[in-house]
Amino acid sequence: GPEGPYAGKTHLLPPLPYTPGKDGAGVVQAVGTNVQGLKEGDRVYTAGSISGTYAEHAICDAQTVFPLPAAASFAQGACLGVPCATA
């Protein structure tokens, strides 16, 4: 809303168009040629998306992608980044 954290601070916003969101969880769809430790089909969470996570697909640096335990839902995985990094 107009009283949100960026109120009056439009210079802090990225240029349009952009997709918000840094944290998320899902299944790896593709990996870069130099990526090790991740493969298509892996359940993962990310704590830093390059392209934004409020989307069906996201581009992430492999260093910000981590295995998602089988017992964790994707919704739970999307919440892991901040508390785990903070702890």
Side-chain angles (χ1 to χ4, degrees):
E3 59 283 332
Y6 296 111
K9 302 175 187 170
T10 55
H11 63 284
L12 298 177
L13 294 172
L16 295 175
Y18 76 97
T19 303
K22 293 288 185 185
D23 299 335
V27 176
V28 174
Q29 298 293 311
V31 295
T33 55
N34 295 322
V35 173
Q36 297 178 0
L38 294 170
K39 64 183 183 310
E40 289 183 31
D42 284 351
R43 289 171 35 91
V44 296
Y45 72 94
T46 184
S49 168
I50 296 168
S51 63
T53 56
Y54 293 10
E56 189 170 336
H57 296 95
I59 299 170
C60 304
D61 186 313
Q63 295 176 340
T64 67
V65 178
F66 308 96
L68 180 65
S73 69
F74 291 126
Q76 292 168 325
C79 299
L80 287 174
V82 171
C84 287
T86 303

